[in-house]
DNA sequence: CCTACAATTTACCAAGTGGTCAAAAGCGGA
DNA sequence: TCCGCTTTTGACCACTTGGTAAATTGTAGG
């Protein structure tokens, strides 16, 4: 269609005819994944492929050239956002008794909060949870085993209740109250639209303090009970 | 399906010939609204009208006969589920100083938890929050003004800090930590699929206790600060 | 400059999507 | 029994949607 003489080196990057831009496979794929993370966090996993492609600036079949299906793209997003951000050091630090327990817990949760309290992280998790629960089952199992369970163990040790019964309901609820509460800060901001805390470390520190105060009262009460 | 004696030779029809059942306007409308509440809580607000109609056992144009559009039906669902369940007595009890503060707070939150921790309530709220935030803006404003703000006031009075500055960030975060934590119990059960606490009143009582312990430490610290 | 190949797009499909409408059929009243 | 009104539905519409195929075009290597 375009005559031999190329149209003028069209530097006016207006809207009209999309200039076909050829990128390397890696660059384009990166661009699509990044665009998808942004897009799905805003429009949910049911957002349209065409619209996603438009926001990236390409035609929608190109997305299918890089990912065989929408599902495959979504799985890639999961992997990038969730599997990629978990830090094994959290679990290690929780168990490292060279530091006082409350300080360990506070330090870990300040970093955890910084890591997960982002728009993509919070919104995509909720979207996925409502859609099929796929990531949740995976992610929350990880959290429960690698973070919450060790915390219960350390809390018991801290309070001189060292034993390895299964956590009771009250203990489980207490630690989920802390953990879920941190996540809920993100829900309030990125889903409800409330303002984000100005002093996040202080908020987290206060939450951990509240957990410790309650644990000192509730853990001993549970010490003789059968597993919840 | 009763063993009907009238199915004519026309039984060659592929799908089961749905028996046309005529109900009064009120009955049918009630049936549709109830069905919609169930359906939307499971499939989200993007669930299809045809599928909804099928679960109710009618054809989908019938739904449009009762509600002019999908949006109108959804608004009706909001009204039934949220506007209909708020109890003004919560606010009254929070402020009724004839009872000790912690007991009031515990009593209110046990009833509040019983009221909102249902599948429809939790799931539709989250779905709506992700979709457009329409109910949240309304509902959470209600919660903030009628419940959380009075609680902060009563907590200050309880701790001898009676004044009417705007709540500070730390105070706001603390009470939202309690309130959001209660709601999050529902998220864990109806969205994440975790088991529901066997002893909900005990869990709520523990949460309120944790709030009180933390408040005794944090509210006095905030007493001289400018509004957050 | 040309060629070959991969990146990119246009045109298309089949199955769904909310919503409409006129025909069909229960049911109360005569 | 039949009439007439209202509920209920089958058929249909225009638009959306994930996905495909073949044509198109940028560009590296000769």
């Amino acid at each position: 269609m375009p005559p031999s003489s190329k149209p003028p080196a069209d530097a006016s990057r207006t809207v009209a005819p999309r200039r076909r831009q050829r990128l390397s496979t890696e660059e384009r794929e990166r661009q699509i994944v990044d665009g998808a993370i942004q897009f799905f966090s805003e429009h949910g996993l049911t957002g349209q492929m065409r619209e996603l492609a438009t926001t990236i600036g390409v035609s929608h079949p190109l997305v299918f050239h890089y990912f065989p299906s929408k599902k495959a793209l979504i799985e890639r997003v999961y992997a990038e956002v969730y599997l990629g951000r978990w830090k094994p050091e959290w679990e290690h630090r929780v168990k490292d008794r060279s530091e006082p327990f409350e300080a360990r817990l506070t330090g870990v949760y300040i970093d955890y909060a910084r890591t997960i309290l982002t728009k993509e992280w919070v919104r995509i998790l909720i979207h996925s949870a409502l859609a099929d629960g796929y990531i949740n089952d995976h992610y929350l199992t990880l959290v429960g085993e690698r973070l919450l369970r060790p915390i219960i163990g350390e809390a018991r040790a801290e309070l001189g209740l060292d034993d390895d019964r299964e956590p009771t309901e009250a203990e489980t609820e207490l630690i989920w109250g802390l953990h879920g509460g941190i996540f809920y800060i993100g829900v309030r901001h990125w889903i409800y639209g409330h303002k984000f805390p100005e002093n996040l470390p202080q908020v987290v520190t206060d939450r951990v303090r509240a957990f410790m105060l309650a644990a000192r009262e509730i853990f001993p009460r549970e010490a003789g009970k059968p597993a919840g």
Side-chain angles (χ1 to χ4, degrees), chain A residues 13-65:
Chain A
R13 312 212 19 86
T14 50
V15 246
R18 175 156 60 215
R19 166 131 181 96
R20 193 182 277 218
Q21 189 182 2
R22 212 182 156 95
L23 296 185
S24 74
T25 302
E26 299 75 37
E27 279 180 298
R28 188 64 87 188
E29 185 174 316
R30 180 79 261 137
Q31 191 185 41
I32 290 174
V33 171
D34 289 346
I37 290 173
Q38 266 308 115
F39 181 81
F40 285 134
S41 79
E42 276 166 25
H43 299 80
L45 279 354
T46 56
Q48 302 174 27
M49 294 298 270
R50 272 163 236 261
E51 202 186 333
L52 160 61
T54 300
T55 70
I56 297 175
V58 299
S59 67
H60 90 275
L62 186 60
V63 179
F64 285 101
H65 176 75

Side-chain angles (χ1 to χ4, degrees), chain A residues 160-223:
Chain A
L161 306 167
D162 207 16
D163 68 59
D164 41 339
R165 288 169 303 114
E166 284 295 303
T168 67
E169 173 168 278
E171 288 167 339
T172 304
E173 283 300 320
L174 201 61
I175 182 57
W176 269 106
L178 170 62
H179 189 90
I182 303 283
F183 175 63
Y184 199 71
I185 292 171
V187 172
R188 280 168 51 211
H189 182 63
W190 281 287
I191 295 184
Y192 297 165
H194 290 184
K195 86 182 233 311
F196 197 78
E198 284 168 28
N199 191 343
L200 182 62
Q202 183 62 58
V203 169
V204 173
T205 302
D206 287 348
R207 294 283 177 96
V208 172
R209 170 62 50 85
F211 168 80
M212 291 303 301
L213 291 168
R216 282 193 191 97
E217 186 167 320
I218 288 161
F219 273 56
R221 181 186 83 195
E222 301 290 307

Side-chain angles (χ1 to χ4, degrees), chain A residues 11 28 77 89 100 103 122 125 132 146 197 207-208 210:
Chain A
R28 188 64 87 188
V77 167
E89 68 187 67
V122 169
L125 189 75
D132 57 15
R146 311 299 274 278
R207 294 283 177 96
V208 172

Side-chain angles (χ1 to χ4, degrees), chain A residues 113-142:
Chain A
R114 281 210 189 96
T115 303
I116 71 158
L117 293 183
T118 69
K119 181 177 174 184
E120 329 81 76
W121 206 100
V122 169
R123 289 188 60 100
I124 295 179
L125 189 75
I126 295 280
H127 273 294
S128 140
L130 287 170
D132 57 15
Y134 173 72
I135 357 177
N136 283 285
D137 294 346
H138 263 255
Y139 185 72
L140 295 179
T141 299
L142 182 70

